[in-house]
Amino acid sequence: MTTLASTLYLRAFPRMAGWLRDLILVSAGALFVAVFAQVKIPLPFTPVPLTGQTFAVLLAAAVLGSKRGAASMSYLIGATFGYLIGFVIAAYAVGLLAERGLERSVRTSIIPFLVGTFVIYLCGAAWLSVFLGSFQKAVLGGIVPFLIGDAIKAAAAALALPAAWKLAK
């Protein structure tokens, strides 16, 4: 099954070379995540800021698919390194589920976004536990404060994709 980005891109540019299409889509995904990464709210009780990245990672992955979604992520080492690695893995997983059509229906579109969020949390907390000394502290400082916001972001992404598919048809 194809992704939303491929569907729209092929309609707009049917004769463009595949490698150029992939380069443009991956670059657009990276830029989308970079823009939402600028939305940062520092939290005094954790070294991990609240950002718009998780929303952008999940949405970009669903739109781009597994390979292009994962390729559009990048990372740097620090307290947030695990989350950034999680972005790459989550982008692949969400993209894979989107390639199977789970993001096309409001009823099923939440599944890829919950899977992606879980992957990000798991990788982020695992790495953060090195900095904080325990996995429990990492969960309390690196997951719990973000649960409500990330649930809202996942729900927004889950509503946005089926709506975009309806517009594409």
Side-chain angles (χ1 to χ4, degrees), residues 67-153:
K67 293 176 183 76
R68 287 189 206 111
S72 69
M73 303 300 127
S74 60
Y75 55 88
L76 300 170
I77 294 188
T80 60
F81 177 70
Y83 296 96
L84 300 174
I85 289 295
F87 288 171
V88 175
I89 298 167
Y92 187 85
V94 170
L96 201 60
L97 294 170
E99 290 167 0
R100 284 156 176 70
L102 287 175
E103 92 298 3
R104 294 184 185 205
S105 156
V106 173
R107 186 175 49 82
T108 61
S109 64
I110 193 71
I111 296 167
F113 303 120
L114 291 177
V115 168
T117 301
F118 175 77
V119 168
I120 292 167
Y121 282 164
L122 183 63
C123 294
W127 181 260
L128 187 58
S129 68
V130 172
F131 285 84
L132 298 180
S134 79
F135 191 74
Q136 182 180 1
K137 287 180 183 176
V139 168
L140 291 174
I143 294 178
V144 172
F146 305 98
L147 287 172
I148 293 172
D150 286 342
I152 292 168
K153 294 177 212 174

